[in-house]
Amino acid sequence: MMTSEKKPSKPEELEFEGDENPERGNWTGKLDFLLSCLGYAVGLGNVWRFPYLCFKNGGGSFLIPYFLMLGIIGIPTFLLELKIGQYSAMGPVTLYSHLSPLFKGLGFVNFISQCFVGLYYNMIIAWTIYYFFASLTTDLPWQHCTNGYNDQVCFSFSGYKDCEQMRLNLTANGVENNIIYLNRTCIEDPAVLALIRGDLESWYGSQKKMNASCEDGEVKCEMVKCIYTNTTYCDQEPGAANTITKLFDIPVKLRKSSSGQYLTKSVLQESASIEPADFGTPLWKLSLSLMAAWIIIFLCLMKGIKSSGKVVYVTATFPYMVLIILLIRAVTLEGASLGIKFYLIPEWSKLADIKVWEAAAVQIFFSLSVAGGGLITLSSYNRFHNNILRDTAIVCIGNCMTSFIAGFAIFSVLGFMATELGVDVKDVATGGTGLAFEAYPDLVTRLPAAPVWAVLFFLMLFTLGLDSQFAIVETILTGILDFMPKLRPKKTLIVAAVCFTGFILGLPLCCPGGSYLLDLLDYYAASWPYLFIGLMELIIISYIYGYSTYIDDLYEMTGNNLLYKLKKPMSVFYCFLSPLVIFIIFIFSWYNYAPLKKGDYTYPGWANGIGWIIAMLGILPVPFTAIYVFAKAYMANPIPDTKERVMDVLRETTRHTAEWRQNAIRLNNKDGEKSDFEYRQEGDRMIRYRKGEAPEGKLSGFVNGGMVSSKDDFTPM
């Protein structure tokens, strides 16, 4: 029976003297890691993805599966990754080859996936830099529809309000009028109005889907011609144009915001397709923004965690300051309550839809940034006895609460926009880049001191993205340096080389067709590979390394007896629920696969084929490497009996190597009598025992290795 109590320790210091691991280095302070971890987990998706998912999947009722998935897959996988990184002091590229050599391919797919994600993620950061400098003006460039690139459906809120004010003034003076906002301007000239009335089809004609289910992609869509008879209803009946007795403003669903056209027609100069003939060459303004983004990454990482660990004191906290300011301003806007109502009022019927649960699970998985290698990388620079139990609770709960609170700010804004335009919230609700670079820039044009709000917002997006990119690039760097330790003295040059390579490979994203490529990478590079990596990690820890050994490792690092009290309840998650849920999500996402679309544009087969190749590069190296490792070990094994030979090879290639515990052994020797464990040489490796429980005779070397189910292998409750 485990009876030892957690030993009292002196108050934790915020700064450390010297490195515990001189070869790799450590964080210089406890907050360095915590803020880096929080910054990595809290990214752009918290602001632009979660609120929209909540609205789309049942409002307040979506929070039920969301927080359930936090407990089922979020916290267990998050803690697992922090544990294996901190325990081994290894990055993901080398960690898996020592944790379970048969699955060393997981290190490669981690590295490959992060390379793809790092390319497009830094492009989004480049967009925020572009918008930040564009905001340093007294008149925001996306505020009006008077630019050469704007077309007849461009909608400027300031122009629309000026038109509305003219109508109100004339009506107040008793003057009958038919002033309308159409073709980017306010029209009152009777001659122009007569021309519009003579060609109603050109100005009010449109198309609509015959079946509303088309919106969810469940039914094949058939489009029919229609004509708007007011700003919201498009009538498909013959002769509907004859029912229009009075001209009206441009219909709501035909409006293309001035901020949206600024993004697609000015900033991105978006092409018609991803086809090579349309793709174009890099735009110089975007290329400079991308160069600036990579230079900033280099300057922050040139000294590794020693420099990035200090930068995060600003980049991880600044977004919260801005978010609070935006929240206070947003909830005081007219119509904010309408948006919050849309955000929170539950639709209980949605809980019966499996897609809602899938959306909640996927959002938790990616919101916490698990399985990307970043958490392992960050925790690998921790000191051995860092309290990762505390850090896991802070980051997981903080991340989800950030998403929840951001929802109030975002939907207060959308409620205000809907009120101003006289439409429903659902007509202005959007997610992803549409929210960050269209809806919100459109909002700030309606506020006093608009440039100030724009600068604050894009600074917030910049710092949100920067923290995540730090961890992504650090994962790539750690992979290179762990794989080739002789390069560590030249780390600054390696950082420069990685950033320069990232800039060159990112130039296609600066082309007119670059936004299509960005969406392709986002769709294929991270989703399936990350789910696969997370599933394999849980299987390895629970069924190969050994769940009991995992708990012992956690206790050895933290000294927290609560782990043993919660051991059985936690085993339900690690050994059953967590891997099962991730497996279901993985299979369900493949079952529901549909070719990538961007708006109404469907990507061609060859583009989706490239996407599949990218996705498989994040999965297939695992089985291929496993086959190679097994075959190599099988050929070298001298046992003549085939069955015994196979079992011996499986045992040798799945159990952890001697190097796996080197960091723990080094710290155990340093701790001396303070440690509850001791290590003894058994054959070709060191075996861990509780003090006073080591047997007199020599054992096989598998005890506490997670390889056998004997009474010695399980720590007593």
Side-chain angles (χ1 to χ4, degrees), residues 20 37 57 73 122 133 143 164 211 217 232 242 369 380 404 406 443 464 478 512 541 558 601 673 679 693 702:
E20 191 176 79
C37 211
N57 292 289
I73 64 173
N122 218 33
F133 284 105
Q143 188 166 353
E164 194 174 58
N211 196 317
T232 58
N242 298 328
S369 302
S380 71
F404 182 61
L443 161 78
L464 278 173
T478 301
I541 289 297
T558 64
Y601 173 72
E673 292 301 318
Y679 287 83
E693 296 184 7
F702 295 112

Side-chain angles (χ1 to χ4, degrees), residues 249-267:
D249 298 330
I250 179 173
V252 172
K253 290 193 175 181
L254 293 182
R255 297 172 185 176
K256 301 296 181 184
S257 68
S258 54
S259 59
Q261 292 205 338
Y262 176 75
L263 173 66
T264 58
K265 295 176 178 289
S266 178
V267 178

Side-chain angles (χ1 to χ4, degrees), residues 49 53 56-57 61-62 64-66 68-70 73 216 218 350-367 523 527-528 531 580-594:
R49 181 170 168 80
L53 278 179
K56 185 180 178 182
N57 292 289
S61 57
F62 179 71
I64 295 174
Y66 180 73
L68 276 176
M69 290 302 165
L70 170 64
I73 64 173
D216 298 322
E218 297 174 353
K350 288 280 190 178
L351 292 178
D353 187 353
I354 186 66
K355 289 185 177 179
V356 173
W357 292 84
E358 180 197 12
V362 170
Q363 176 61 14
I364 279 291
F365 198 82
F366 296 118
S367 176
Y523 190 71
S527 56
W528 293 332
L531 287 169
L580 177 64
V581 169
I582 294 177
F583 177 74
I584 291 173
I585 297 168
F586 187 67
I587 298 301
F588 201 80
S589 63
W590 271 11
Y591 177 77
N592 287 323
Y593 168 77

Side-chain angles (χ1 to χ4, degrees), residues 470-488:
F470 283 166
I472 291 169
V473 177
E474 189 62 56
T475 300
I476 297 170
L477 291 170
T478 301
I480 295 171
L481 297 178
D482 281 358
F483 196 70
M484 293 180 284
K486 63 175 72 174
L487 294 178
R488 284 200 177 111

Side-chain angles (χ1 to χ4, degrees), residues 147-467:
N147 306 289
Y149 56 80
N150 295 126
D151 56 27
Q152 70 177 35
V153 294
C154 180
F155 181 83
S156 166
F157 180 76
S158 58
Y160 171 76
K161 294 301 287 186
D162 290 342
C163 193
E164 194 174 58
Q165 190 61 50
M166 288 175 59
R167 282 194 291 246
L168 291 173
N169 291 340
L170 289 174
T171 302
N173 293 326
V175 179
E176 186 176 348
N177 67 87
N178 190 196
I179 299 175
I180 61 172
Y181 183 83
L182 198 66
N183 195 22
R184 305 184 291 165
T185 189
C186 195
I187 302 173
E188 58 179 330
D189 187 340
V192 177
L193 292 172
L195 289 175
I196 294 172
R197 185 174 290 281
D199 192 13
L200 293 175
E201 193 68 40
S202 296
W203 297 102
Y204 296 131
S206 184
Q207 287 184 321
K208 71 177 182 179
K209 300 178 177 71
M210 284 195 67
N211 196 317
S213 298
C214 291
E215 300 293 339
D216 298 322
E218 297 174 353
V219 179
K220 185 177 180 181
C221 291
E222 183 180 344
M223 305 298 293
V224 294
K225 288 186 176 182
C226 60
I227 188 168
Y228 280 94
T229 53
N230 55 49
T231 58
T232 58
Y233 180 67
C234 199
D235 194 338
Q236 67 191 60
E237 297 298 324
N242 298 328
T243 64
I244 301 175
T245 58
K246 187 176 182 180
L247 299 179
F248 47 88
D249 298 330
I250 179 173
V252 172
K253 290 193 175 181
L254 293 182
R255 297 172 185 176
K256 301 296 181 184
S257 68
S258 54
S259 59
Q261 292 205 338
Y262 176 75
L263 173 66
T264 58
K265 295 176 178 289
S266 178
V267 178
L268 303 179
Q269 297 181 31
E270 197 169 82
S271 62
S273 73
I274 197 175
E275 298 289 350
D278 297 328
F279 204 82
T281 56
L283 305 171
W284 70 270
K285 289 183 180 179
L286 281 180
S287 299
L288 284 179
S289 299
L290 182 63
M291 181 185 293
W294 279 112
I295 289 174
I296 292 169
I297 293 295
F298 167 73
L299 293 175
C300 293
L301 293 179
M302 61 186 297
K303 298 298 182 183
I305 59 168
K306 301 297 185 186
S307 52
S308 67
K310 300 307 175 189
V311 176
V312 293
Y313 280 80
V314 176
T315 57
T317 55
F318 180 77
Y320 286 97
M321 296 169 56
V322 177
L323 188 60
I324 291 171
I325 294 172
L326 291 175
L327 176 63
I328 294 172
R329 182 66 184 96
V331 297
T332 58
L333 293 170
E334 182 184 0
S337 59
L338 184 66
I340 294 173
K341 178 182 177 182
F342 241 85
Y343 174 49
L344 288 181
I345 288 186
E347 294 180 48
W348 299 113
S349 60
K350 288 280 190 178
L351 292 178
D353 187 353
I354 186 66
K355 289 185 177 179
V356 173
W357 292 84
E358 180 197 12
V362 170
Q363 176 61 14
I364 279 291
F365 198 82
F366 296 118
S367 176
L368 291 174
S369 302
V370 295
L375 295 175
I376 295 175
T377 298
L378 295 175
S379 62
S380 71
Y381 294 105
N382 274 342
R383 291 173 179 261
F384 187 76
H385 294 298
N386 177 65
N387 190 348
I388 54 173
L389 301 175
R390 173 202 59 203
D391 294 343
T392 297
I394 292 173
V395 176
C396 289
I397 295 174
N399 174 74
C400 292
M401 292 309 298
T402 300
S403 298
F404 182 61
I405 293 171
F408 282 94
I410 297 303
F411 271 88
S412 294
V413 165
L414 295 177
F416 167 71
M417 292 174 66
T419 301
E420 290 286 296
L421 295 174
V423 298
D424 292 332
V425 176
K426 65 181 181 181
D427 293 322
V428 293
T430 183
T433 53
L435 177 62
F437 297 99
E438 292 183 40
Y440 219 96
D442 191 37
L443 161 78
V444 298
T445 63
R446 313 173 191 199
L447 299 175
V452 175
W453 292 104
V455 166
L456 281 175
F457 179 71
F458 289 111
L459 265 180
M460 180 184 74
L461 286 187
F462 172 72
T463 52
L464 278 173
L466 200 61
D467 287 331

Side-chain angles (χ1 to χ4, degrees), residues 132-143:
F132 171 77
F133 284 105
S135 302
L136 300 177
T137 176
T138 55
D139 194 27
L140 295 173
W142 58 83
Q143 188 166 353

